[in-house]
mmCIF file of all heavy atoms in Angstrom:
data_model
loop_
_atom_site.group_PDB
_atom_site.id
_atom_site.type_symbol
_atom_site.label_atom_id
_atom_site.label_comp_id
_atom_site.label_asym_id
_atom_site.label_seq_id
_atom_site.Cartn_x
_atom_site.Cartn_y
_atom_site.Cartn_z
ATOM 1 N N TYR Y 1 -34.117 74.972 244.664
ATOM 2 C CA TYR Y 1 -35.240 74.868 243.733
ATOM 3 C C TYR Y 1 -35.311 73.480 243.095
ATOM 4 O O TYR Y 1 -36.371 72.862 243.049
ATOM 5 C CB TYR Y 1 -35.140 75.951 242.650
ATOM 6 C CG TYR Y 1 -36.313 75.959 241.711
ATOM 7 C CD1 TYR Y 1 -37.584 76.294 242.160
ATOM 8 C CD2 TYR Y 1 -36.157 75.634 240.373
ATOM 9 C CE1 TYR Y 1 -38.670 76.304 241.302
ATOM 10 C CE2 TYR Y 1 -37.228 75.650 239.504
ATOM 11 C CZ TYR Y 1 -38.488 75.986 239.979
ATOM 12 O OH TYR Y 1 -39.563 75.980 239.122
ATOM 13 N N GLY Y 2 -34.192 72.989 242.625
ATOM 14 C CA GLY Y 2 -34.171 71.651 242.039
ATOM 15 C C GLY Y 2 -34.560 70.586 243.052
ATOM 16 O O GLY Y 2 -35.310 69.661 242.750
ATOM 17 N N ALA Y 3 -34.057 70.717 244.281
ATOM 18 C CA ALA Y 3 -34.396 69.756 245.340
ATOM 19 C C ALA Y 3 -35.890 69.819 245.673
ATOM 20 O O ALA Y 3 -36.532 68.781 245.910
ATOM 21 C CB ALA Y 3 -33.564 70.023 246.583
ATOM 22 N N TYR Y 4 -36.458 71.020 245.682
ATOM 23 C CA TYR Y 4 -37.901 71.178 245.911
ATOM 24 C C TYR Y 4 -38.699 70.449 244.824
ATOM 25 O O TYR Y 4 -39.654 69.723 245.116
ATOM 26 C CB TYR Y 4 -38.266 72.671 245.949
ATOM 27 C CG TYR Y 4 -39.709 72.932 245.639
ATOM 28 C CD1 TYR Y 4 -40.704 72.636 246.568
ATOM 29 C CD2 TYR Y 4 -40.087 73.441 244.403
ATOM 30 C CE1 TYR Y 4 -42.041 72.851 246.260
ATOM 31 C CE2 TYR Y 4 -41.411 73.667 244.093
ATOM 32 C CZ TYR Y 4 -42.392 73.372 245.023
ATOM 33 O OH TYR Y 4 -43.712 73.570 244.711
ATOM 34 N N LYS Y 5 -38.317 70.630 243.583
ATOM 35 C CA LYS Y 5 -39.039 69.975 242.488
ATOM 36 C C LYS Y 5 -38.907 68.449 242.585
ATOM 37 O O LYS Y 5 -39.853 67.717 242.273
ATOM 38 C CB LYS Y 5 -38.551 70.480 241.126
ATOM 39 C CG LYS Y 5 -38.994 71.893 240.808
ATOM 40 C CD LYS Y 5 -40.494 71.974 240.582
ATOM 41 C CE LYS Y 5 -40.883 73.303 239.972
ATOM 42 N NZ LYS Y 5 -42.281 73.350 239.539
ATOM 43 N N ILE Y 6 -37.760 67.963 243.036
ATOM 44 C CA ILE Y 6 -37.599 66.514 243.240
ATOM 45 C C ILE Y 6 -38.587 66.032 244.307
ATOM 46 O O ILE Y 6 -39.235 64.987 244.136
ATOM 47 C CB ILE Y 6 -36.146 66.171 243.636
ATOM 48 C CG1 ILE Y 6 -35.220 66.358 242.433
ATOM 49 C CG2 ILE Y 6 -36.048 64.732 244.176
ATOM 50 C CD1 ILE Y 6 -33.731 66.249 242.769
ATOM 51 N N ARG Y 7 -38.729 66.768 245.393
ATOM 52 C CA ARG Y 7 -39.685 66.377 246.440
ATOM 53 C C ARG Y 7 -41.107 66.349 245.890
ATOM 54 O O ARG Y 7 -41.892 65.449 246.214
ATOM 55 C CB ARG Y 7 -39.584 67.314 247.642
ATOM 56 C CG ARG Y 7 -38.297 67.141 248.450
ATOM 57 C CD ARG Y 7 -38.327 67.878 249.776
ATOM 58 N NE ARG Y 7 -38.602 69.310 249.672
ATOM 59 C CZ ARG Y 7 -37.689 70.242 249.403
ATOM 60 N NH1 ARG Y 7 -36.412 69.895 249.202
ATOM 61 N NH2 ARG Y 7 -38.032 71.514 249.348
ATOM 62 N N CYS Y 8 -41.438 67.309 245.050
ATOM 63 C CA CYS Y 8 -42.766 67.313 244.419
ATOM 64 C C CYS Y 8 -42.949 66.093 243.521
ATOM 65 O O CYS Y 8 -43.980 65.410 243.584
ATOM 66 C CB CYS Y 8 -42.981 68.595 243.620
ATOM 67 S SG CYS Y 8 -43.218 70.067 244.623
ATOM 68 N N GLU Y 9 -41.972 65.821 242.670
ATOM 69 C CA GLU Y 9 -42.045 64.659 241.787
ATOM 70 C C GLU Y 9 -42.241 63.381 242.599
ATOM 71 O O GLU Y 9 -43.073 62.532 242.250
ATOM 72 C CB GLU Y 9 -40.779 64.546 240.934
ATOM 73 C CG GLU Y 9 -40.642 65.604 239.866
ATOM 74 C CD GLU Y 9 -39.381 65.425 239.030
ATOM 75 O OE1 GLU Y 9 -38.677 64.398 239.174
ATOM 76 O OE2 GLU Y 9 -39.097 66.328 238.215
ATOM 77 N N ASP Y 10 -41.482 63.236 243.684
ATOM 78 C CA ASP Y 10 -41.588 62.031 244.511
ATOM 79 C C ASP Y 10 -42.971 61.899 245.127
ATOM 80 O O ASP Y 10 -43.549 60.806 245.146
ATOM 81 C CB ASP Y 10 -40.512 62.027 245.598
ATOM 82 C CG ASP Y 10 -39.108 61.810 245.049
ATOM 83 O OD1 ASP Y 10 -38.969 61.394 243.867
ATOM 84 O OD2 ASP Y 10 -38.143 62.069 245.805
ATOM 85 N N ALA Y 11 -43.523 63.004 245.634
ATOM 86 C CA ALA Y 11 -44.863 62.976 246.225
ATOM 87 C C ALA Y 11 -45.913 62.612 245.172
ATOM 88 O O ALA Y 11 -46.853 61.852 245.443
ATOM 89 C CB ALA Y 11 -45.186 64.324 246.865
ATOM 90 N N ILE Y 12 -45.733 63.134 243.984
ATOM 91 C CA ILE Y 12 -46.673 62.867 242.884
ATOM 92 C C ILE Y 12 -46.633 61.400 242.492
ATOM 93 O O ILE Y 12 -47.672 60.738 242.397
ATOM 94 C CB ILE Y 12 -46.355 63.787 241.693
ATOM 95 C CG1 ILE Y 12 -46.770 65.223 242.029
ATOM 96 C CG2 ILE Y 12 -47.004 63.290 240.405
ATOM 97 C CD1 ILE Y 12 -46.186 66.272 241.113
ATOM 98 N N TRP Y 13 -45.432 60.868 242.256
ATOM 99 C CA TRP Y 13 -45.340 59.477 241.814
ATOM 100 C C TRP Y 13 -45.731 58.495 242.914
ATOM 101 O O TRP Y 13 -46.217 57.404 242.629
ATOM 102 C CB TRP Y 13 -43.960 59.174 241.261
ATOM 103 C CG TRP Y 13 -43.791 59.694 239.862
ATOM 104 C CD1 TRP Y 13 -44.727 59.697 238.866
ATOM 105 C CD2 TRP Y 13 -42.639 60.287 239.307
ATOM 106 N NE1 TRP Y 13 -44.211 60.270 237.728
ATOM 107 C CE2 TRP Y 13 -42.930 60.633 237.964
ATOM 108 C CE3 TRP Y 13 -41.366 60.560 239.803
ATOM 109 C CZ2 TRP Y 13 -42.011 61.229 237.121
ATOM 110 C CZ3 TRP Y 13 -40.446 61.171 238.963
ATOM 111 C CH2 TRP Y 13 -40.773 61.497 237.638
ATOM 112 N N ALA Y 14 -45.552 58.864 244.176
ATOM 113 C CA ALA Y 14 -46.007 58.004 245.274
ATOM 114 C C ALA Y 14 -47.531 57.911 245.274
ATOM 115 O O ALA Y 14 -48.099 56.871 245.598
ATOM 116 C CB ALA Y 14 -45.501 58.535 246.613
ATOM 117 N N ALA Y 15 -48.193 58.999 244.894
ATOM 118 C CA ALA Y 15 -49.653 59.041 244.886
ATOM 119 C C ALA Y 15 -50.257 58.559 243.573
ATOM 120 O O ALA Y 15 -51.404 58.114 243.540
ATOM 121 C CB ALA Y 15 -50.131 60.465 245.165
ATOM 122 N N ASN Y 16 -49.482 58.664 242.494
ATOM 123 C CA ASN Y 16 -50.039 58.374 241.168
ATOM 124 C C ASN Y 16 -48.912 57.960 240.216
ATOM 125 O O ASN Y 16 -48.297 58.804 239.571
ATOM 126 C CB ASN Y 16 -50.760 59.612 240.630
ATOM 127 C CG ASN Y 16 -51.456 59.381 239.314
ATOM 128 O OD1 ASN Y 16 -51.216 58.397 238.626
ATOM 129 N ND2 ASN Y 16 -52.316 60.313 238.945
ATOM 130 N N PRO Y 17 -48.651 56.653 240.110
ATOM 131 C CA PRO Y 17 -47.571 56.199 239.230
ATOM 132 C C PRO Y 17 -47.788 56.550 237.758
ATOM 133 O O PRO Y 17 -46.850 56.516 236.970
ATOM 134 C CB PRO Y 17 -47.559 54.684 239.416
ATOM 135 C CG PRO Y 17 -48.399 54.398 240.610
ATOM 136 C CD PRO Y 17 -49.298 55.573 240.826
ATOM 137 N N ASN Y 18 -49.020 56.903 237.375
ATOM 138 C CA ASN Y 18 -49.313 57.258 235.985
ATOM 139 C C ASN Y 18 -49.239 58.755 235.728
ATOM 140 O O ASN Y 18 -49.541 59.207 234.621
ATOM 141 C CB ASN Y 18 -50.693 56.740 235.583
ATOM 142 C CG ASN Y 18 -50.733 55.235 235.607
ATOM 143 O OD1 ASN Y 18 -49.801 54.571 235.160
ATOM 144 N ND2 ASN Y 18 -51.791 54.674 236.169
ATOM 145 N N ALA Y 19 -48.855 59.522 236.730
ATOM 146 C CA ALA Y 19 -48.762 60.969 236.564
ATOM 147 C C ALA Y 19 -47.713 61.322 235.517
ATOM 148 O O ALA Y 19 -46.710 60.631 235.360
ATOM 149 C CB ALA Y 19 -48.407 61.620 237.897
ATOM 150 N N MET Y 20 -47.974 62.425 234.815
ATOM 151 C CA MET Y 20 -47.023 62.936 233.829
ATOM 152 C C MET Y 20 -46.242 64.076 234.460
ATOM 153 O O MET Y 20 -46.819 64.961 235.087
ATOM 154 C CB MET Y 20 -47.761 63.442 232.595
ATOM 155 C CG MET Y 20 -48.467 62.348 231.826
ATOM 156 S SD MET Y 20 -49.432 63.025 230.448
ATOM 157 C CE MET Y 20 -50.880 63.646 231.325
ATOM 158 N N VAL Y 21 -44.933 64.041 234.289
ATOM 159 C CA VAL Y 21 -44.054 65.100 234.772
ATOM 160 C C VAL Y 21 -43.310 65.651 233.566
ATOM 161 O O VAL Y 21 -42.606 64.912 232.879
ATOM 162 C CB VAL Y 21 -43.061 64.573 235.834
ATOM 163 C CG1 VAL Y 21 -42.033 65.631 236.179
ATOM 164 C CG2 VAL Y 21 -43.818 64.106 237.076
ATOM 165 N N ALA Y 22 -43.509 66.942 233.305
ATOM 166 C CA ALA Y 22 -42.819 67.606 232.205
ATOM 167 C C ALA Y 22 -41.734 68.485 232.805
ATOM 168 O O ALA Y 22 -42.025 69.440 233.527
ATOM 169 C CB ALA Y 22 -43.798 68.446 231.390
ATOM 170 N N ARG Y 23 -40.491 68.148 232.527
ATOM 171 C CA ARG Y 23 -39.358 68.915 233.050
ATOM 172 C C ARG Y 23 -38.993 69.996 232.044
ATOM 173 O O ARG Y 23 -38.366 69.728 231.024
ATOM 174 C CB ARG Y 23 -38.185 67.990 233.330
ATOM 175 C CG ARG Y 23 -38.499 67.023 234.461
ATOM 176 C CD ARG Y 23 -37.325 66.142 234.780
ATOM 177 N NE ARG Y 23 -37.655 65.247 235.886
ATOM 178 C CZ ARG Y 23 -37.253 63.986 235.953
ATOM 179 N NH1 ARG Y 23 -36.500 63.470 234.997
ATOM 180 N NH2 ARG Y 23 -37.594 63.253 236.985
ATOM 181 N N LEU Y 24 -39.380 71.207 232.371
ATOM 182 C CA LEU Y 24 -39.204 72.324 231.464
ATOM 183 C C LEU Y 24 -37.857 72.999 231.646
ATOM 184 O O LEU Y 24 -37.370 73.133 232.767
ATOM 185 C CB LEU Y 24 -40.304 73.370 231.687
ATOM 186 C CG LEU Y 24 -41.745 72.874 231.609
ATOM 187 C CD1 LEU Y 24 -42.698 74.039 231.811
ATOM 188 C CD2 LEU Y 24 -42.024 72.154 230.304
ATOM 189 N N GLY Y 25 -37.304 73.437 230.526
ATOM 190 C CA GLY Y 25 -36.111 74.275 230.550
ATOM 191 C C GLY Y 25 -36.526 75.728 230.549
ATOM 192 O O GLY Y 25 -37.706 76.063 230.705
ATOM 193 N N TYR Y 26 -35.561 76.600 230.353
ATOM 194 C CA TYR Y 26 -35.802 78.030 230.345
ATOM 195 C C TYR Y 26 -36.781 78.376 229.235
ATOM 196 O O TYR Y 26 -36.634 77.925 228.094
ATOM 197 C CB TYR Y 26 -34.481 78.751 230.115
ATOM 198 C CG TYR Y 26 -34.290 80.016 230.903
ATOM 199 C CD1 TYR Y 26 -33.036 80.591 230.973
ATOM 200 C CD2 TYR Y 26 -35.332 80.637 231.565
ATOM 201 C CE1 TYR Y 26 -32.818 81.759 231.682
ATOM 202 C CE2 TYR Y 26 -35.129 81.804 232.270
ATOM 203 C CZ TYR Y 26 -33.876 82.358 232.326
ATOM 204 O OH TYR Y 26 -33.661 83.506 233.010
ATOM 205 N N GLN Y 27 -37.768 79.200 229.539
ATOM 206 C CA GLN Y 27 -38.777 79.587 228.558
ATOM 207 C C GLN Y 27 -38.397 80.913 227.910
ATOM 208 O O GLN Y 27 -37.851 81.809 228.560
ATOM 209 C CB GLN Y 27 -40.149 79.701 229.230
ATOM 210 C CG GLN Y 27 -40.644 78.377 229.782
ATOM 211 C CD GLN Y 27 -40.818 77.326 228.706
ATOM 212 O OE1 GLN Y 27 -41.619 77.492 227.785
ATOM 213 N NE2 GLN Y 27 -40.067 76.250 228.808
ATOM 214 N N ILE Y 28 -38.706 81.024 226.624
ATOM 215 C CA ILE Y 28 -38.461 82.242 225.868
ATOM 216 C C ILE Y 28 -39.812 82.851 225.521
ATOM 217 O O ILE Y 28 -40.654 82.191 224.913
ATOM 218 C CB ILE Y 28 -37.684 81.944 224.566
ATOM 219 C CG1 ILE Y 28 -36.343 81.293 224.875
ATOM 220 C CG2 ILE Y 28 -37.513 83.224 223.745
ATOM 221 C CD1 ILE Y 28 -35.631 80.753 223.642
ATOM 222 N N ASP Y 29 -40.016 84.077 225.928
ATOM 223 C CA ASP Y 29 -41.237 84.805 225.584
ATOM 224 C C ASP Y 29 -40.826 86.045 224.799
ATOM 225 O O ASP Y 29 -40.246 86.973 225.373
ATOM 226 C CB ASP Y 29 -41.994 85.206 226.846
ATOM 227 C CG ASP Y 29 -43.304 85.923 226.538
ATOM 228 O OD1 ASP Y 29 -43.682 86.023 225.351
ATOM 229 O OD2 ASP Y 29 -43.949 86.383 227.500
ATOM 230 N N PRO Y 30 -41.097 86.073 223.491
ATOM 231 C CA PRO Y 30 -40.682 87.229 222.695
ATOM 232 C C PRO Y 30 -41.224 88.558 223.229
ATOM 233 O O PRO Y 30 -40.630 89.602 223.009
ATOM 234 C CB PRO Y 30 -41.240 86.923 221.292
ATOM 235 C CG PRO Y 30 -41.318 85.430 221.263
ATOM 236 C CD PRO Y 30 -41.700 85.030 222.669
ATOM 237 N N GLY Y 31 -42.340 88.513 223.979
ATOM 238 C CA GLY Y 31 -42.871 89.728 224.590
ATOM 239 C C GLY Y 31 -41.990 90.246 225.712
ATOM 240 O O GLY Y 31 -42.076 91.409 226.099
ATOM 241 N N GLY Y 32 -41.156 89.364 226.245
ATOM 242 C CA GLY Y 32 -40.165 89.761 227.228
ATOM 243 C C GLY Y 32 -40.687 90.092 228.604
ATOM 244 O O GLY Y 32 -39.993 90.709 229.392
ATOM 245 N N LEU Y 33 -41.897 89.687 228.928
ATOM 246 C CA LEU Y 33 -42.459 90.001 230.234
ATOM 247 C C LEU Y 33 -42.392 88.785 231.149
ATOM 248 O O LEU Y 33 -42.471 87.653 230.706
ATOM 249 C CB LEU Y 33 -43.915 90.451 230.096
ATOM 250 C CG LEU Y 33 -44.142 91.672 229.203
ATOM 251 C CD1 LEU Y 33 -45.629 91.937 229.034
ATOM 252 C CD2 LEU Y 33 -43.436 92.890 229.756
ATOM 253 N N GLY Y 34 -42.277 89.022 232.440
ATOM 254 C CA GLY Y 34 -42.359 87.929 233.409
ATOM 255 C C GLY Y 34 -41.068 87.162 233.568
ATOM 256 O O GLY Y 34 -39.975 87.641 233.266
ATOM 257 N N ASN Y 35 -41.212 85.926 234.052
ATOM 258 C CA ASN Y 35 -40.081 85.057 234.359
ATOM 259 C C ASN Y 35 -39.701 84.264 233.116
ATOM 260 O O ASN Y 35 -40.200 83.168 232.901
ATOM 261 C CB ASN Y 35 -40.458 84.124 235.506
ATOM 262 C CG ASN Y 35 -39.330 83.178 235.862
ATOM 263 O OD1 ASN Y 35 -38.181 83.419 235.526
ATOM 264 N ND2 ASN Y 35 -39.674 82.105 236.541
ATOM 265 N N ASN Y 36 -38.847 84.824 232.287
ATOM 266 C CA ASN Y 36 -38.421 84.133 231.074
ATOM 267 C C ASN Y 36 -37.069 84.661 230.633
ATOM 268 O O ASN Y 36 -36.585 85.677 231.123
ATOM 269 C CB ASN Y 36 -39.481 84.267 229.972
ATOM 270 C CG ASN Y 36 -39.490 85.636 229.353
ATOM 271 O OD1 ASN Y 36 -38.731 85.892 228.421
ATOM 272 N ND2 ASN Y 36 -40.322 86.541 229.865
ATOM 273 N N MET Y 37 -36.473 83.952 229.705
ATOM 274 C CA MET Y 37 -35.113 84.265 229.276
ATOM 275 C C MET Y 37 -34.969 85.688 228.731
ATOM 276 O O MET Y 37 -34.016 86.388 229.075
ATOM 277 C CB MET Y 37 -34.666 83.246 228.220
ATOM 278 C CG MET Y 37 -33.244 83.475 227.745
ATOM 279 S SD MET Y 37 -32.763 82.272 226.511
ATOM 280 C CE MET Y 37 -32.142 80.992 227.569
ATOM 281 N N ILE Y 38 -35.882 86.137 227.897
ATOM 282 C CA ILE Y 38 -35.771 87.466 227.287
ATOM 283 C C ILE Y 38 -35.804 88.547 228.367
ATOM 284 O O ILE Y 38 -34.996 89.474 228.356
ATOM 285 C CB ILE Y 38 -36.891 87.698 226.249
ATOM 286 C CG1 ILE Y 38 -36.838 86.648 225.138
ATOM 287 C CG2 ILE Y 38 -36.832 89.119 225.695
ATOM 288 C CD1 ILE Y 38 -35.569 86.647 224.315
ATOM 289 N N ALA Y 39 -36.712 88.424 229.333
ATOM 290 C CA ALA Y 39 -36.804 89.416 230.411
ATOM 291 C C ALA Y 39 -35.523 89.436 231.240
ATOM 292 O O ALA Y 39 -35.028 90.514 231.593
ATOM 293 C CB ALA Y 39 -38.014 89.124 231.294
ATOM 294 N N HIS Y 40 -34.971 88.274 231.540
ATOM 295 C CA HIS Y 40 -33.746 88.213 232.334
ATOM 296 C C HIS Y 40 -32.552 88.790 231.565
ATOM 297 O O HIS Y 40 -31.737 89.524 232.137
ATOM 298 C CB HIS Y 40 -33.456 86.775 232.783
ATOM 299 C CG HIS Y 40 -34.386 86.305 233.843
ATOM 300 N ND1 HIS Y 40 -34.212 86.595 235.175
ATOM 301 C CD2 HIS Y 40 -35.524 85.574 233.770
ATOM 302 C CE1 HIS Y 40 -35.187 86.058 235.878
ATOM 303 N NE2 HIS Y 40 -35.999 85.433 235.045
ATOM 304 N N LEU Y 41 -32.449 88.480 230.284
ATOM 305 C CA LEU Y 41 -31.350 89.030 229.483
ATOM 306 C C LEU Y 41 -31.484 90.541 229.328
ATOM 307 O O LEU Y 41 -30.489 91.275 229.393
ATOM 308 C CB LEU Y 41 -31.290 88.339 228.121
ATOM 309 C CG LEU Y 41 -30.908 86.858 228.147
ATOM 310 C CD1 LEU Y 41 -31.013 86.264 226.744
ATOM 311 C CD2 LEU Y 41 -29.528 86.641 228.736
ATOM 312 N N ASP Y 42 -32.725 91.005 229.141
ATOM 313 C CA ASP Y 42 -32.968 92.437 229.024
ATOM 314 C C ASP Y 42 -32.581 93.154 230.323
ATOM 315 O O ASP Y 42 -31.920 94.196 230.292
ATOM 316 C CB ASP Y 42 -34.437 92.696 228.685
ATOM 317 C CG ASP Y 42 -34.714 94.162 228.436
ATOM 318 O OD1 ASP Y 42 -33.995 94.780 227.620
ATOM 319 O OD2 ASP Y 42 -35.646 94.691 229.075
ATOM 320 N N ALA Y 43 -32.945 92.573 231.468
ATOM 321 C CA ALA Y 43 -32.585 93.172 232.758
ATOM 322 C C ALA Y 43 -31.074 93.197 232.941
ATOM 323 O O ALA Y 43 -30.513 94.186 233.440
ATOM 324 C CB ALA Y 43 -33.257 92.402 233.893
ATOM 325 N N GLN Y 44 -30.392 92.130 232.527
ATOM 326 C CA GLN Y 44 -28.930 92.081 232.645
ATOM 327 C C GLN Y 44 -28.302 93.161 231.762
ATOM 328 O O GLN Y 44 -27.359 93.843 232.175
ATOM 329 C CB GLN Y 44 -28.400 90.708 232.257
ATOM 330 C CG GLN Y 44 -26.892 90.580 232.438
ATOM 331 C CD GLN Y 44 -26.379 89.197 232.055
ATOM 332 O OE1 GLN Y 44 -27.129 88.302 231.690
ATOM 333 N NE2 GLN Y 44 -25.075 89.030 232.136
ATOM 334 N N ALA Y 45 -28.829 93.343 230.574
ATOM 335 C CA ALA Y 45 -28.287 94.362 229.669
ATOM 336 C C ALA Y 45 -28.508 95.764 230.242
ATOM 337 O O ALA Y 45 -27.614 96.610 230.154
ATOM 338 C CB ALA Y 45 -28.924 94.238 228.293
ATOM 339 N N ARG Y 46 -29.667 96.018 230.836
ATOM 340 C CA ARG Y 46 -29.936 97.334 231.430
ATOM 341 C C ARG Y 46 -29.027 97.584 232.632
ATOM 342 O O ARG Y 46 -28.526 98.683 232.823
ATOM 343 C CB ARG Y 46 -31.404 97.429 231.861
ATOM 344 C CG ARG Y 46 -32.358 97.772 230.743
ATOM 345 C CD ARG Y 46 -33.725 98.207 231.249
ATOM 346 N NE ARG Y 46 -34.265 97.378 232.322
ATOM 347 C CZ ARG Y 46 -34.971 96.273 232.149
ATOM 348 N NH1 ARG Y 46 -35.234 95.854 230.930
ATOM 349 N NH2 ARG Y 46 -35.421 95.593 233.187
ATOM 350 N N THR Y 47 -28.814 96.548 233.447
ATOM 351 C CA THR Y 47 -28.012 96.699 234.659
ATOM 352 C C THR Y 47 -26.523 96.782 234.357
ATOM 353 O O THR Y 47 -25.814 97.640 234.884
ATOM 354 C CB THR Y 47 -28.265 95.510 235.617
ATOM 355 O OG1 THR Y 47 -29.653 95.457 235.914
ATOM 356 C CG2 THR Y 47 -27.477 95.652 236.902
#
């Protein structure tokens, strides 16, 4: 996954040196749905 994102970043900067790249960390959603820290922790606790 990290290597894939590096390939994307490289393709983007080759095409557009002014492009903005925001490197996001783990997201927290208090609603706990979807791909986020709360949902993953909740699933781990249930399992």
Side-chain angles (χ1 to χ4, degrees):
Y1 184 66
Y4 157 74
K5 288 292 193 171
I6 289 171
R7 289 191 304 277
C8 288
E9 289 181 8
D10 290 346
I12 288 165
W13 282 322
N16 184 345
N18 296 318
M20 294 176 282
V21 172
R23 294 182 179 142
L24 306 182
Y26 219 167
Q27 296 299 298
I28 301 170
D29 182 5
L33 302 174
N35 179 19
N36 75 86
M37 182 180 272
I38 301 298
H40 288 278
L41 293 175
D42 185 52
Q44 183 180 358
R46 278 195 316 273
T47 302

